[in-house]
Amino acid sequence: MGSISSVFTEKKPLLELEDIVKIYGTTIANNKVSICVNEGDILGLVGANGAGKSTLMRIISGVSTPDSGSMKFNEEIINWSAFSPTTASKKGIRVAYQELSLCDNLRVYENFFVEQSQLFKGTFGWRKKAMELAENQLNEVFPGNGIDVNKELCELSIAQQQMVEIARAFMDPELKLLILDEPTSSLPVEQTRQLLSYIEKKAADGVTFIYITHRLFEIIEVTNKVYVMKNGEVVTDFLTDETNEDQLIEVMSGTEKVDAASTDSDDQAEDNRDTEQDEIDGFKQDTNIYVKCRNVSSKDGLDSVSCEMYGGEIIGIAGLEGNGQKALLHAIFEMPRALRKNIERSGSIAYVTGDRKAEGNFPLWSIADNIAITSLMKKPLFAANSPVKIVEKARTWYDKLRIKGESPKAEIVSLSGGNQQKALIARALLSDAGIIILDDPTRGVDVETKRQLYSVFKEAAAAGKLIIWYSSDDSELGICSRVMVMRYGTIIKTLEHEEISKDSIIEASFKAADHKKEHLESNSKKYDLTLLMPIVSMLTIYVACGLIHSSTFSLFGIELLLSGSLPLILAALAQTYIIGVGHVNLGLGNFMGLVSVLAATILYENTTVGLLLILGTWIAYGLMGVMIRKLNLPAVIVSLGFSFVWYGIAMVLQSIPGGTAPQWLIDMFNNKTFGLPNVLIILILATILAHGLYRSKYGTVLRGFGNREEAMVRSGWNKYKAIFSIYAISAFFAILGGMSFTALTYSADASSMDSYTLLTVASVVLGGGALSGGRVNHIGTVFGAITLSFVTILLGFLRVNSDYTAAVQGLLLIVILSLRLLRKGQNNE
């Protein structure tokens, strides 16, 4: 073992950790960990899943605070009570996470902006600069990456998203220490080489790296020293040129040399394939379990795919990333209606995703529940599920895969990333499915775990199951009976077992360069028609109103219609901001009722006092949001409780409908300017303001919080400031809506806008918004609110009992949602 302390004395220590201890419940994640990293070092940090590496990185980056121990960075002793992701970023510490810290509702360049907002000065022109910087940074780290920085992140492949995560971490001009957590787990071979080369270049410039990976050949290639962690402790350290992969594996696992395929070495992978030859050749195809594809083509990239797979086989799916591999897996698993004539499948099926956070885990459930959920689907719908039996059922694979956790009863999120992946694989195996689809299951998994999983896959195939395995790491496919290499959405070559090697897969991947891509390119042209639906609905109902009363088509008629709609429109804009952060405000209508009463009573009597009280409600509304976040309470519960507060205060001020609107307020909403009704001008300005705020620099940050709060906090943004801002903006539109009601009706009624609450939610949904994920459309919401308001007017024209209004509005909402879902389904086919 090399002595780190006696080497590199000419370099200045940048990071010094001493006796770091971090305990979660009964789990000691870090136990007296001490590490020293010098300026310009590329430190490799290795260890099995659950060894404590990720916890240590969270401590260094300010995300977590240790229970004890000290840290010195750039000769400054860190004060843990004042250390946060924000202060870490200011000191030049950055992290590129394996579980990506990106917001998929933001465009690629917007993700760069929220990470380095200090580089963008001024209100205007920042988007153009962000696009240029994002594109330049991506090209500097990954030349020829082909990423369109104007696309939403969700439109990129996992490999492209990982490139974005890494490239934006390098963008910090004050970068001193960059922690790379499994940076190449999803990267193709070429991009991996580009990254390693760029790391060496930046290290020569004085940037320091901590490189975490289970691909040990990368550790040997790029680092200059290595620390090995096990069970939360640093067990040894090496100078890289004094160790090798086998020695690192032995120290990490405490065993002799592992199956060679797990070390990612081409020669060893070939040896491993040879040792398994007899066993794989002995597998007999089970013709009762199969998948047969005949000329499968789809809108998401498949082009005339034909193949047959049978039970008893391990079928590898390979090729350059983004050439239809995942689309084929999804087509086989989902069998969409349009492809059922082209895909024939026999046998039950289970799917193991590589994106455990977005598609795999149920984060609020226990490990046992996550493992057992698929097997429980075989039971009758309302059958009782004993928690004890669920744990017993899950324990078999929990123990066999050696999942490192407190117990099967512990929460799934308490596990390390690799152990969470084991739980997903256990779920598929426990289901006893005949066909198991593996979507990059070993991404980010340690060497010892890979060895276990390879054995499990071979056992499953030997038992007659069909294993369909896509891997972004070609070198581990040596155990497959066949490998199907894809290019441009079709299978261009099938390699038999004796032909399989990393080189042969890469060679096949670059063939068929002249294959026509028009089919794929045409599929990339997608048009967002979400906004069209509420517009068409609104125009249809408006025309229907006009056909009954022709005066509806006049400017005066339009003014009357919009005057009746304006309070609901403003209320819907207020709700849009709340839903944009994943909350729903059930007290919105009563809050507007309180504002309306204040406007018709105190504001009428004393303008100054009235405005101060309205300002007070504005601040109270914002603080309600902070309380929701601070106490981590459901927004629907807190806002429902506050609705009674708003209503109670309004009833104290005015127990029956009445009051008088101030004349200046009446003029503000009822007069004309330049020949146009003020109500129309206010509607247009409010819509522009709402949309503009959401598109502004800080509005982009707020959208990020609506999608992934954790990612925004890691980027240094204050979550309490963000939530207060969101609720304060919402309150502005709600106050404007309450005052408009008083101005347009000349009086107030505390309960008059109670029905607005649910109508605002419906307006957001009608306008193309989603109740989670930070995706809302303010313009669509305005059209949605107008549509619902026009429904009431139309029913009045038709002399339909007002009791049916809510039913008709609900039916319209269902129809539009059905059309949206139908179109989404067609796009997926």
Side-chain angles (χ1 to χ4, degrees), residues 541-561 790 793 797:
I541 297 172
Y542 174 68
V543 170
C545 290
L547 293 175
I548 297 173
H549 286 282
S550 58
S551 60
T552 302
F553 292 133
S554 67
L555 183 60
F556 177 71
I558 293 174
E559 182 179 357
L560 285 179
L561 291 177
F790 281 7
I793 296 169
F797 286 170

Side-chain angles (χ1 to χ4, degrees), residues 433-571:
I435 303 169
I436 299 177
I437 294 178
L438 304 171
D439 182 356
D440 215 1
T442 61
R443 183 170 69 92
V445 171
D446 65 71
V447 172
E448 180 66 17
T449 299
K450 283 186 178 183
R451 180 178 63 175
Q452 293 174 244
L453 294 179
Y454 298 153
S455 297
V456 168
F457 300 161
K458 288 183 284 188
E459 288 175 13
K465 299 182 186 299
L466 169 58
I467 308 298
I468 305 173
W469 178 11
Y470 165 67
S471 175
S472 57
D473 184 358
D474 297 332
S475 62
E476 66 180 356
L477 295 178
I479 66 170
C480 293
S481 50
R482 289 185 288 156
V483 170
M484 297 177 180
V485 183
M486 298 189 69
R487 176 83 166 176
Y488 301 138
T490 194
I491 295 172
I492 57 168
K493 187 166 186 178
T494 298
L495 300 172
E496 298 299 328
H497 176 72
E498 61 275 7
E499 300 175 300
I500 299 170
S501 69
K502 185 174 181 180
D503 289 340
S504 64
I505 293 173
I506 292 174
E507 181 183 355
S509 299
F510 282 97
K511 284 187 175 181
D514 296 327
H515 187 86
K516 299 298 182 182
K517 295 185 286 182
E518 287 84 354
H519 178 74
L520 296 178
E521 291 170 354
S522 65
N523 287 333
S524 66
K525 296 177 182 178
K526 297 180 180 179
Y527 301 95
D528 185 5
L529 302 179
T530 303
L531 192 60
L532 184 62
M533 294 182 185
I535 293 176
V536 170
S537 301
M538 181 201 72
L539 291 176
T540 301
I541 297 172
Y542 174 68
V543 170
C545 290
L547 293 175
I548 297 173
H549 286 282
S550 58
S551 60
T552 302
F553 292 133
S554 67
L555 183 60
F556 177 71
I558 293 174
E559 182 179 357
L560 285 179
L561 291 177
L562 292 180
S563 295
S565 306
L566 185 61
L568 176 60
I569 293 169
L570 294 171

Side-chain angles (χ1 to χ4, degrees), residues 587-635:
L588 182 60
N590 283 336
F591 177 80
M592 292 175 63
L594 171 59
V595 173
S596 178
V597 168
L598 286 171
T601 55
I602 299 177
L603 186 65
Y604 175 76
E605 296 170 359
N606 189 314
T607 303
T608 302
V609 174
L611 289 176
L612 287 174
L613 287 175
I614 291 174
L615 177 62
T617 62
W618 190 349
I619 295 172
Y621 192 101
L623 292 176
M624 177 181 70
V626 175
M627 185 178 79
I628 289 170
R629 187 62 195 85
K630 187 77 173 176
L631 301 179
N632 201 25
L633 297 172

